[in-house]
Amino acid sequence: MTLTYHDRKRLGVAASGIVLTVIAGLMLLPMLWMAFTSVKPDSAIFSRTPLRWPDAFTGEHYANLFTQFHFGPSSLNSTLIAVVTVVTSVILGGLGAYGFARYPWRGSGVALGFLMVARMVTPSALVVPLYVIMQALGLLNSVTGVIVGVTVLNLPFVIWILRPFFATVPREVEEAAELDGLSPFAVFFRIVIPLARPGIMTAVLYSFLAGWTDLLFPMTFITDAEVMPLTSGLLQMQTGYKIYWGELMAGGIALTLPPVVLCFALQRNLLSGLRAGY
């Protein structure tokens, strides 16, 4: 039997869907395992058959996050780091990207290339100089030091994401707004930003992920448990005598859910932003 072009196309789409579903399922397995382990009692976690369905589920591990491991303050610290990183990265990176897109100068291409090279430097290579700077500024053991470190690494990436969006905004729209009496800053915030919304949402998502999931700078700059974010706070559940697997899995679920929810909320803007920005 000879298949028509449309039949082959439908078959290809179906096969692609099956393959992608399998890949998505495999990628979700670690999160499902974390969720399953987080609600199992310790006796079931440490049993000889960890895959066996437990006789009962428990919420004790989630409760212990707040009573034993400073989960409340850690959540607030992570939220503060992520939100401030988003605001500073998008504002400063947006202004920088707009400058590159609208006011090019001789050597601006070289400067853009330097920004990308700077972003490609591994963060671990910057830990020691940043530690010395934070120590001199008195920013150790504070979320401010972590915010500064994450933002410094995130800014080049935000500029590279946003510059193509600002470059596609018609100059005539900005010139018409300036003729109506708007200042350059008013044009940027009231005209350009709304037109570049997909790029802004993409930068917001990546900046949030950078601030929310960063582990290197909190481990380096913070030793006080009350100031630790969730990423380094989870390490406190691993001691020399015991690993609190139930609490560790519960904390992992709590750390994973906000980025997942944000990705689903911004997925339309994220997809259009990635297509247009690259």
Side-chain angles (χ1 to χ4, degrees):
M1 183 179 65
T2 303
L3 296 176
T4 64
Y5 168 76
H6 294 291
D7 290 335
R8 291 196 301 270
K9 186 175 181 180
R10 282 195 293 268
L11 225 78
V13 171
S16 299
I18 293 172
V19 171
L20 291 175
T21 302
V22 172
I23 293 174
L26 291 174
M27 294 179 68
L28 285 174
L29 276 178
M31 191 168 181
L32 293 175
W33 180 260
M34 280 198 305
F36 184 53
T37 306
S38 69
V39 293
K40 290 167 61 177
D42 285 338
S43 58
I45 294 175
F46 297 104
S47 69
R48 293 180 179 272
T49 55
L51 292 176
R52 184 175 64 85
W53 196 263
D55 297 329
F57 291 100
T58 178
E60 180 183 4
H61 303 308
Y62 288 93
N64 290 342
L65 291 177
F66 293 93
T67 58
Q68 297 182 25
F69 296 104
H70 306 283
F71 185 78
S74 295
S75 300
L76 292 176
N77 294 333
S78 287
T79 303
L80 179 62
I81 291 171
V83 170
V84 177
T85 298
V86 168
V87 173
T88 54
S89 296
V90 171
I91 292 178
L92 296 179
L95 290 171
Y98 184 71
F100 277 111
R102 281 291 181 262
Y103 305 103
W105 70 94
R106 181 179 296 178
S108 59
V110 176
L112 273 173
F114 176 77
L115 282 176
M116 183 51 67
V117 171
R119 181 62 183 87
M120 293 167 64
V121 174
T122 176
S124 57
L126 303 175
V127 165
V128 173
L130 281 176
Y131 182 90
V132 173
I133 293 172
M134 299 305 167
Q135 187 177 39
L137 296 175
L139 296 180
L140 295 180
N141 266 327
S142 70
V143 295
T144 305
V146 177
I147 291 170
V148 171
V150 176
T151 303
V152 166
L153 288 180
N154 195 48
L155 273 177
F157 189 62
V158 172
I159 292 174
W160 267 89
I161 288 178
L162 293 180
R163 189 185 67 87
F165 289 94
F166 295 150
T168 58
V169 175
R171 288 181 178 269
E172 294 78 8
V173 176
E174 300 177 43
E175 292 170 356
E178 291 177 356
L179 288 175
D180 288 338
L182 293 181
S183 65
F185 276 98
V187 171
F188 175 72
F189 285 106
R190 294 176 59 179
I191 305 297
V192 178
I193 291 293
L195 291 176
R197 182 179 176 181
I200 297 295
M201 292 299 102
T202 305
V204 166
L205 177 60
Y206 277 97
S207 299
F208 180 86
L209 292 175
W212 183 263
T213 62
D214 183 69
L215 175 62
L216 181 61
F217 291 133
M219 284 182 59
T220 306
F221 300 155
I222 296 177
T223 56
D224 185 357
E226 293 293 333
V227 190
M228 288 181 179
L230 287 175
T231 47
S232 56
L234 293 181
L235 296 179
Q236 307 306 307
M237 301 173 192
Q238 306 177 53
T239 68
Y241 304 98
K242 180 180 179 181
I243 298 178
Y244 297 83
W245 286 109
E247 287 76 10
L248 192 60
M249 296 298 104
I253 290 294
L255 185 67
T256 305
L257 281 179
V260 171
V261 172
L262 190 62
C263 283
F264 276 107
L266 301 179
Q267 62 177 334
R268 181 175 300 177
N269 291 297
L270 175 62
L271 292 175
S272 59
L274 289 176
R275 284 195 299 264
Y278 294 96

